[in-house]
């Protein structure tokens, strides 16, 4: 029961009176952002991306040369087989090296495009490189080449695909920075 003069009987003080008698209370710490908040946008360092892409192209070309030399020299297997019946001609190690370097530069362009358009470009890029590598590794098995030539070509393509995928994924993570 409250009287017109103040708090109700029983000794209870009003909220304002109690508040006036106490020291100021510190404000509670701010709440952390919710876990579902989206990450800050990425900033792309295009110069770093393309410099890494050019270096990756060089490494991919050298990987193709080493893989061809290994398959031909150590195992004595022709990588591309004789021409005809759907089998490409047996060429020097230069063609796979140039092709690997061009593929790495093309992959750098794809990564640049993904970085400008999607939320998690490195994750999507890794999936694309993995599926493309798998398709290119399986491609020789649809030709009329000998089993050794099929395996040799698949090994070269796998080595190049793993090299390009690993290096460009790392380059992409380095060229993309979160936040301001």
């Amino acid at each position: 029961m409250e009287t017109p003069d103040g708090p109700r009987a029983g000794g209870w003080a009003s909220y304002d009176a109690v508040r006036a008698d106490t020291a100021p209370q510190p404000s509670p710490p701010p709440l952390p952002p919710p876990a579902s908040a989206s990450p800050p946008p990425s900033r792309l360092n295009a110069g770093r991306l393309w410099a890494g892409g050019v270096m990756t192209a060089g490494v991919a070309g050298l990987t193709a040369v080493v893989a061809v030399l290994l398959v031909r020299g150590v195992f004595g297997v022709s990588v591309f087989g004789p021409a005809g019946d759907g089998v490409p001609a047996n060429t020097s190690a230069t063609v796979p090296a140039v092709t690997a370097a061009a593929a790495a530069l093309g992959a750098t362009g794809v990564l640049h495009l993904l970085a400008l358009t999607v939320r998690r470009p490195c994750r999507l890029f890794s999936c694309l490189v993995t599926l493309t590598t798998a398709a290119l590794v399986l491609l020789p098995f649809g030709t009329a080449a000998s089993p050794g030539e099929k395996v040799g070509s698949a090994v070269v393509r796998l080595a190049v695909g793993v090299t390009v995928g690993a290096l460009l994924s790392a380059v992409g993570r380095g060229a993309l920075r979160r936040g301001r």
Side-chain angles (χ1 to χ4, degrees):
M1 289 198 230
E2 210 163 301
T3 61
D5 303 18
R8 64 178 207 179
W12 293 94
S14 73
Y15 176 77
D16 292 332
V18 171
R19 210 49 199 147
D21 292 340
T22 61
Q25 300 293 322
S27 61
L31 294 174
S36 64
S38 63
S42 299
R43 291 187 49 169
L44 174 66
N45 184 339
R48 179 178 282 186
L49 175 69
W50 282 99
V54 168
M55 290 181 197
T56 299
V59 172
L62 290 174
T63 300
V65 169
V66 169
V68 168
L69 292 176
L70 177 73
V71 169
R72 282 189 187 157
V74 175
F75 299 113
V77 175
S78 177
V79 175
F80 298 101
D85 292 328
V87 179
N90 187 359
T91 59
S92 69
T94 306
V95 172
V98 171
T99 305
L105 291 175
T108 304
V110 169
L111 182 56
H112 192 162
L113 180 65
L114 291 175
L116 296 175
T117 57
V118 299
R119 184 173 166 214
R120 295 182 188 231
C122 291
R123 183 174 290 176
L124 180 58
F125 179 75
S126 295
C127 291
L128 289 173
V129 169
T130 301
L131 291 172
T132 303
T133 301
L136 290 173
V137 166
L138 295 174
L139 195 61
F141 294 100
T143 64
S146 71
E149 292 168 344
K150 292 176 183 180
V151 171
S153 295
V155 166
V156 172
R157 292 170 184 209
L158 180 64
V160 170
V162 168
T163 300
V164 169
L167 291 178
L168 278 182
S169 292
V171 166
R173 283 189 302 275
L176 287 170
R177 294 289 174 214
R178 297 272 178 207
R180 299 178 199 199

